[in-house]
CSV table of all heavy atoms in Angstrom, one decimal:
chain,number,residue,atom,x,y,z
A,166,HIS,N,49.0,113.9,20.4
A,166,HIS,CA,48.1,114.1,19.3
A,166,HIS,C,48.7,114.9,18.2
A,166,HIS,O,49.4,116.1,18.5
A,166,HIS,CB,46.8,114.8,19.8
A,166,HIS,CG,45.9,115.1,18.6
A,166,HIS,ND1,45.2,116.2,18.5
A,166,HIS,CD2,45.5,114.2,17.6
A,166,HIS,CE1,44.4,116.1,17.4
A,166,HIS,NE2,44.5,114.9,16.9
A,167,LEU,N,48.7,114.5,17.0
A,167,LEU,CA,49.4,115.2,16.0
A,167,LEU,C,48.7,115.1,14.7
A,167,LEU,O,47.8,114.1,14.5
A,167,LEU,CB,50.8,114.8,15.8
A,167,LEU,CG,51.1,113.3,15.7
A,167,LEU,CD1,50.9,112.8,14.3
A,167,LEU,CD2,52.5,113.0,16.3
A,168,LEU,N,49.0,115.8,13.7
A,168,LEU,CA,48.4,115.7,12.3
A,168,LEU,C,49.6,115.2,11.4
A,168,LEU,O,50.3,114.3,11.7
A,168,LEU,CB,47.7,116.9,11.9
A,168,LEU,CG,46.3,117.2,12.5
A,168,LEU,CD1,46.5,117.8,13.8
A,168,LEU,CD2,45.4,118.0,11.6
A,169,SER,N,49.8,116.2,10.3
A,169,SER,CA,50.9,115.8,9.4
A,169,SER,C,52.1,116.5,10.1
A,169,SER,O,52.6,117.6,9.5
A,169,SER,CB,50.5,116.4,8.0
A,169,SER,OG,51.7,116.2,7.2
A,170,CYS,N,52.7,115.9,11.1
A,170,CYS,CA,53.8,116.4,11.7
A,170,CYS,C,55.2,116.0,11.3
A,170,CYS,O,55.4,114.8,10.9
A,170,CYS,CB,53.7,116.1,13.2
A,170,CYS,SG,55.0,116.6,14.3
A,171,PRO,N,56.1,117.0,11.0
A,171,PRO,CA,57.4,116.6,10.5
A,171,PRO,C,58.1,115.6,11.5
A,171,PRO,O,59.2,115.1,11.1
A,171,PRO,CB,58.1,117.9,10.4
A,171,PRO,CG,57.5,118.9,11.2
A,171,PRO,CD,56.0,118.4,11.3
A,172,LEU,N,57.8,115.6,12.8
A,172,LEU,CA,58.4,114.7,13.8
A,172,LEU,C,57.9,113.3,13.8
A,172,LEU,O,58.4,112.5,14.6
A,172,LEU,CB,58.4,115.5,15.1
A,172,LEU,CG,59.3,116.5,15.4
A,172,LEU,CD1,59.1,117.0,16.9
A,172,LEU,CD2,60.8,116.1,15.3
A,173,LEU,N,56.9,113.1,13.0
A,173,LEU,CA,56.3,111.6,13.2
A,173,LEU,C,57.2,110.7,13.0
A,173,LEU,O,57.3,109.6,13.6
A,173,LEU,CB,55.1,111.6,12.2
A,173,LEU,CG,54.4,110.4,12.1
A,173,LEU,CD1,53.8,110.0,13.6
A,173,LEU,CD2,53.3,110.3,11.1
A,174,ALA,N,58.1,110.8,11.9
A,174,ALA,CA,59.0,109.6,11.6
A,174,ALA,C,60.0,109.4,12.8
A,174,ALA,O,60.3,108.3,13.1
A,174,ALA,CB,59.9,110.0,10.4
A,175,ALA,N,60.4,110.5,13.5
A,175,ALA,CA,61.4,110.4,14.5
A,175,ALA,C,60.6,109.9,15.8
A,175,ALA,O,61.3,109.1,16.6
A,175,ALA,CB,62.0,111.8,14.9
A,176,LEU,N,59.4,110.2,16.1
A,176,LEU,CA,58.7,109.8,17.2
A,176,LEU,C,58.3,108.3,17.2
A,176,LEU,O,58.1,107.7,18.3
A,176,LEU,CB,57.3,110.6,17.4
A,176,LEU,CG,57.6,112.1,17.7
A,176,LEU,CD1,56.3,112.9,17.7
A,176,LEU,CD2,58.3,112.4,18.9
A,177,THR,N,58.2,107.7,16.0
A,177,THR,CA,57.9,106.3,15.9
A,177,THR,C,59.1,105.4,15.9
A,177,THR,O,59.0,104.2,15.8
A,177,THR,CB,57.0,106.1,14.7
A,177,THR,OG1,57.8,106.5,13.5
A,177,THR,CG2,55.7,106.8,14.7
A,178,GLN,N,60.2,106.0,16.0
A,178,GLN,CA,61.5,105.2,15.9
A,178,GLN,C,61.7,104.4,17.3
A,178,GLN,O,61.3,104.9,18.4
A,178,GLN,CB,62.8,106.0,15.6
A,178,GLN,CG,62.7,106.6,14.2
A,178,GLN,CD,62.7,105.5,13.1
A,178,GLN,OE1,63.4,104.6,13.2
A,178,GLN,NE2,61.8,105.8,12.1
A,179,THR,N,62.4,103.2,17.2
A,179,THR,CA,62.6,102.6,18.5
A,179,THR,C,63.5,103.2,19.4
A,179,THR,O,63.6,102.9,20.6
A,179,THR,CB,63.2,101.2,18.2
A,179,THR,OG1,64.3,101.3,17.3
A,179,THR,CG2,62.1,100.4,17.4
A,180,HIS,N,64.4,104.1,19.0
A,180,HIS,CA,65.4,104.8,19.9
A,180,HIS,C,64.8,105.8,20.8
A,180,HIS,O,65.2,106.0,21.9
A,180,HIS,CB,66.5,105.4,19.0
A,180,HIS,CG,66.1,106.5,18.2
A,180,HIS,ND1,65.5,107.8,18.6
A,180,HIS,CD2,65.9,106.5,16.9
A,180,HIS,CE1,65.2,108.4,17.6
A,180,HIS,NE2,65.4,107.8,16.5
A,181,LEU,N,63.5,106.2,20.6
A,181,LEU,CA,62.7,107.0,21.4
A,181,LEU,C,62.0,106.1,22.5
A,181,LEU,O,62.1,106.3,23.7
A,181,LEU,CB,61.8,107.9,20.7
A,181,LEU,CG,60.9,108.7,21.6
A,181,LEU,CD1,61.7,109.7,22.5
A,181,LEU,CD2,59.8,109.5,20.9
A,182,SER,N,61.4,105.1,21.9
A,182,SER,CA,60.6,104.1,22.8
A,182,SER,C,60.5,102.8,22.0
A,182,SER,O,60.0,102.8,21.0
A,182,SER,CB,59.2,104.6,23.1
A,182,SER,OG,58.4,103.7,23.8
A,183,PRO,N,61.1,101.7,22.7
A,183,PRO,CA,61.0,100.4,22.1
A,183,PRO,C,59.5,100.0,21.8
A,183,PRO,O,59.2,99.3,21.0
A,183,PRO,CB,61.7,99.5,23.1
A,183,PRO,CG,62.6,100.4,23.8
A,183,PRO,CD,61.9,101.7,24.0
A,184,THR,N,58.7,100.4,22.8
A,184,THR,CA,57.2,100.0,22.6
A,184,THR,C,56.4,101.2,22.2
A,184,THR,O,56.8,102.4,22.5
A,184,THR,CB,56.6,99.4,23.9
A,184,THR,OG1,56.9,100.5,24.9
A,184,THR,CG2,57.5,98.3,24.4
A,185,LEU,N,55.3,101.0,21.5
A,185,LEU,CA,54.5,102.1,20.9
A,185,LEU,C,53.3,101.6,20.6
A,185,LEU,O,53.0,100.4,20.1
A,185,LEU,CB,55.2,102.7,19.7
A,185,LEU,CG,54.4,103.7,18.8
A,185,LEU,CD1,54.3,104.9,19.6
A,185,LEU,CD2,55.2,103.8,17.4
A,186,THR,N,52.2,102.4,20.8
A,186,THR,CA,50.8,102.3,20.2
A,186,THR,C,50.6,103.5,19.5
A,186,THR,O,50.5,104.6,19.9
A,186,THR,CB,49.9,102.2,21.5
A,186,THR,OG1,50.1,101.1,22.3
A,186,THR,CG2,48.5,102.0,21.0
A,187,HIS,N,50.3,103.2,18.2
A,187,HIS,CA,50.0,104.2,17.1
A,187,HIS,C,48.6,104.0,16.7
A,187,HIS,O,48.3,103.1,16.0
A,187,HIS,CB,51.0,104.2,16.0
A,187,HIS,CG,51.1,105.2,15.1
A,187,HIS,ND1,51.8,105.3,13.9
A,187,HIS,CD2,50.4,106.4,15.1
A,187,HIS,CE1,51.6,106.5,13.3
A,187,HIS,NE2,50.8,107.2,14.0
A,188,ILE,N,47.8,105.1,16.8
A,188,ILE,CA,46.4,105.0,16.5
A,188,ILE,C,46.2,106.1,15.3
A,188,ILE,O,46.4,107.3,15.5
A,188,ILE,CB,45.4,105.4,17.7
A,188,ILE,CG1,45.7,104.5,18.7
A,188,ILE,CG2,44.0,105.5,17.2
A,188,ILE,CD1,44.9,104.8,20.0
A,189,VAL,N,45.8,105.7,14.2
A,189,VAL,CA,45.6,106.5,13.0
A,189,VAL,C,44.2,106.4,12.5
A,189,VAL,O,43.7,105.5,12.3
A,189,VAL,CB,46.7,106.1,11.9
A,189,VAL,CG1,46.6,107.1,10.7
A,189,VAL,CG2,48.0,106.0,12.4
A,190,ALA,N,43.6,107.6,12.3
A,190,ALA,CA,42.3,107.6,11.8
A,190,ALA,C,42.2,107.7,10.3
A,190,ALA,O,42.9,108.5,9.7
A,190,ALA,CB,41.4,108.8,12.5
A,191,HIS,N,41.3,107.0,9.6
A,191,HIS,CA,41.1,107.0,8.1
A,191,HIS,C,39.6,107.1,7.8
A,191,HIS,O,38.8,106.6,8.6
A,191,HIS,CB,41.8,105.8,7.5
A,191,HIS,CG,43.3,105.6,7.7
A,191,HIS,ND1,44.1,106.3,7.1
A,191,HIS,CD2,43.8,104.7,8.6
A,191,HIS,CE1,45.4,105.9,7.5
A,191,HIS,NE2,45.2,105.0,8.5
A,192,PRO,N,39.3,107.9,6.8
A,192,PRO,CA,37.9,107.9,6.4
A,192,PRO,C,37.5,106.6,5.8
A,192,PRO,O,38.2,105.8,5.3
A,192,PRO,CB,37.8,109.0,5.3
A,192,PRO,CG,39.3,109.0,4.7
A,192,PRO,CD,40.2,108.7,6.0
A,193,SER,N,36.1,106.3,6.1
A,193,SER,CA,35.5,105.0,5.6
A,193,SER,C,35.6,104.9,4.0
A,193,SER,O,35.7,103.8,3.5
A,193,SER,CB,34.2,104.8,6.0
A,193,SER,OG,34.2,104.9,7.5
A,194,ALA,N,35.6,106.0,3.4
A,194,ALA,CA,35.8,106.1,1.9
A,194,ALA,C,36.9,105.6,1.4
A,194,ALA,O,36.9,104.9,0.2
A,194,ALA,CB,35.5,107.6,1.5
A,195,LEU,N,38.0,105.6,2.1
A,195,LEU,CA,39.3,105.0,1.7
A,195,LEU,C,39.2,103.5,1.6
A,195,LEU,O,39.7,102.7,0.7
A,195,LEU,CB,40.4,105.3,2.6
A,195,LEU,CG,41.8,104.8,2.3
A,195,LEU,CD1,42.3,105.2,1.0
A,195,LEU,CD2,42.8,105.1,3.4
A,196,ILE,N,38.5,102.8,2.6
A,196,ILE,CA,38.4,101.3,2.6
A,196,ILE,C,37.5,100.9,1.5
A,196,ILE,O,37.8,100.0,0.8
A,196,ILE,CB,37.8,100.9,4.0
A,196,ILE,CG1,38.7,101.5,5.1
A,196,ILE,CG2,37.8,99.5,4.0
A,196,ILE,CD1,40.1,101.1,5.1
Side-chain angles (χ1 to χ4, degrees):
H166 179 225
L167 51 83
L168 284 85
S169 180
C170 179
L172 278 183
L173 178 59
L176 295 177
T177 56
Q178 296 298 318
T179 56
H180 58 72
L181 177 64
S182 175
T184 60
L185 171 69
T186 297
H187 191 186
I188 303 173
V189 189
H191 299 283
S193 301
L195 177 61
I196 306 300

